[in-house]
Structures are given as structure tokens and as C-alpha cells.
Amino acid sequence: MSRTPNIGFVSLGCPKALVDSERILTQLRAEGYGIVPDYAGADLVVVNTCGFIDAAEAESLEAIGEAVADNGRVIVTGCLGGKAGKIRELHPAVLAVTGPHAYEEVMARVHEHLPPPAEPYTQLLPPGGLKLTPRHYAYLKISEGCNHHCSFCIIPSLRGDLDSRPAGEVLTEAENLVSAGVRELLVVSQDTSAYGVDKRYPMSFWGGRPVKTRLTELARELGRLDAWVRLHYIYPYPHVDELIPLMAEGLILPYLDIPLQHASLPVLKAMKRPAATDNTLKRIEAWRRDCPDITLRSTFIVGFPGETGAQFEELLDFLRAAQLDRVGAFAYSPVEGAAANALPDPVPEAVKQERLARFMEVQGEISAARLQAKIGRELRVLVDEVDQEGAIARSAADAPEIDGLVFVDTTDARPGEFLDVRITDASEHDLWAELLG
């Protein structure tokens, strides 16, 4: 009997890239290839890269170099694949380079350089396919690409224009994941709220009934499954308001991840982002009125080219008014190929870092106060892991990897289990709780 060929795999970048990796790994395993955790035991290595910012590009190039040095037979895919010339210049030994979400091409290159196994995998794969996340949560990618051309971003050049998956296909995948034990579905794409607009919201079929390929309708159907549904990367279109009643009803988690980026009108225009800050504050007020438990997360860029001291102060004023629950912030850094590189009046690096520190100080106080207000409340949490000190869990307000944690005083729990708890203490980022009942 011939030996099963083995493949090593490196997955870098955002959750969207992680979903691509899971799909490639599922296909490799279905065809009978072995998946190994090290270079030494691999007949070939696939590196799924990120190229969104310069630091991510450097990390990807380093990972490619390490795989080439330790194994020698490497196929590169992912966002950095759009810069094949740079990859081959630095690492001429790579066997092949493909772009992002090029599943069939990756498989073709694997077949070209590594004979297919004599027999396919004989055991049943999980209904949702192979996963790189813990068993109890999974990323559900509903579209590829983006139709926006923000001046600081190169995603459209890396991943192309918006291409939405049919609602029926997404819902079938979600149902399979839940059947395989997933308790939380994290809905992701480059622009989640634009879902279906590229196809003019066609009808699809799932469960014997028609479903429009549109975010509100998709979210409502996902909410019928036995799992938490969390929405990420929600561009603030007007129809986002339609999601709030679904959150208030408990169909989907009361959690909105909206990348606002800034609050000053001139800076937002330079970024080519929506620029109605006053309207945003009114909508936040309305969302909280209609769904008091809603958690609002956002990301911001400080030190964007041309940002003045007064415009930065305007951003801080917005933070104080909005009282967002979770916030990530970055000092602007140039990205090769981004239009923002040509903008005048770059902000000195020292000023960027000083502004970033001030921004995080203001938001830290806001986050701490909002978490302190939860002391005494009863919440449902989802356990991620259990160690000798207790259970490490997350509430509806906490997405994995990017938000806070809830530490529960029990070791009698399992990952993927829901617990009802009472909050007893809080820090700037995390909560502590006791088990109810």
C-alpha cells in the first residue's frame, strides 16, 4: 500500500482568510491527503497569506521563507498572492502562487506537485467541514470582496468586488455547522451589510421556502438555528436599523461591529468613508432605546494624513458622546498601493503615537465604566475553556479573540456549554462571575 501524502498548512490573517483555509483543508482531507502540524512530516506546505497592511505582508513573507527553508516545497495562496512578483523575487523556490479564495487553483497546484492519494478519505468529515476554530464556534463567510474604495484600504484590489453567496447556500452551511456542535456563528465578510446588493437581492431556497439574499432576511433565518448569531463588519447603511428588532427579540445577538474609523467630516472624506457623525450619534441613541442590551464595537484610525489637532479632539468628543462598549484603534500606517499614500500633510509618527495613547485612555475609562455597570447583573455565557482556576467564557457582548472574557468560579463546565452567571467584579476589559443555581 502506498504511503498517504502529507500536507502542512499555515493560515495567516483575518477570519475571512481562516474560512478560506478551512475550505481548502476540508477539500484536501476529503481527497485523502494527510494534514500534519509540522514541516518535517509534510511532503508539501500550503501558506495562506495576508497582505492587508505592511506588517501583515512582512509576516506572510517571513512565513513563506520559513516554510521554504524548513521544507522546500511550498505553494502560496491568499491575499498576498496578488503580489506574485514580490513573492518570487524574495522566495524564487516556491512552487506556485495563487490569489485569495482560489480554492480550485490551489487544489490544481497541489495535484500538479503531489500525486493524489490512491483512495479518498474513508471516514465521514464533520457536517460543517474541517475547522481551525474550537468546536463550539465557527466563522460563517457570506460574501467575498468589497465595492468600497476607502483610501487607506487595498482589499478590492486583493479580493475583488463584492460577490455574495446565495442565502440558501449560506444557511445550509450554517445548519451543518450547528449539527456538528457549533454553538456560535460569527457572520463575516468584507462588507456584511452589503450582502446581496451585488445580485439585487435574488430569492434563494432553504428549508422548502424562499429566502431573499439580503442581510436582514439572512439574519432572521440564522436566528432560527440553535446557536448564537454574531454579526461582524457592519458598514452603517440605513437598513442596518432593521437588525435591531431581531436583536431585541433575541433572534440574533445584540451586538453590532461597525468600523466607523473616525468622526471628523474632513478626515472621513479623505478616507472616502460615510461622513454623517451627527446622524451616527442619533442612530446609536435609537438603537439603545429599542434594544437596551445592545453592545456596540468599532474601530478607528488616528493620525490619518491631514488629521489636525482639532480634528483629533473632535474624535475624542465623539467617543465621549457615543459611549461605545468595545473599541479598537490603530495609528495610521501606509499600505503599499493605497490611495492615502498620496495625501498631503502626513502626521509625524511621534504625534500619531501620542494621539493613540490619548484615544485609548479616553476609551479605557468608558469601557471600564460600562463594565462596572454590569456588576450584579445575571448573564448567559458561553464557555471557551476550563482550567484549574475556573471556566473562561464569553457573554453576548464578547466576540472571540477581540473582546473581553468572563471568568466564572466553577471547574464543573465544558467548552461549548452555556452557563447562567451573576457578575461580581469588572476590570477595563473583563468580567468575573459566580455560577447561578
Side-chain angles (χ1 to χ4, degrees), residues 334-358:
V335 177
E336 183 180 346
N341 298 343
L343 292 174
D345 304 319
V347 178
E349 188 61 34
V351 175
K352 289 186 208 174
Q353 295 304 322
E354 186 271 336
R355 289 179 183 175
L356 178 61
R358 286 185 59 203

Side-chain angles (χ1 to χ4, degrees), residues 13 21 59 75 85 101 122 131 137 155 159 202 219 235 250 264-265 291 307 330 334 339 346 352 368 370 379 425:
S21 295
E59 181 186 16
I75 291 173
H101 54 85
T122 56
K131 293 170 64 266
Y137 68 80
I155 286 296
R159 288 188 167 262
Y235 205 84
S264 169
L265 180 60
C291 184
E307 181 191 64
F330 308 90
K352 289 186 208 174
R370 295 191 70 80
L379 300 176
D425 200 2

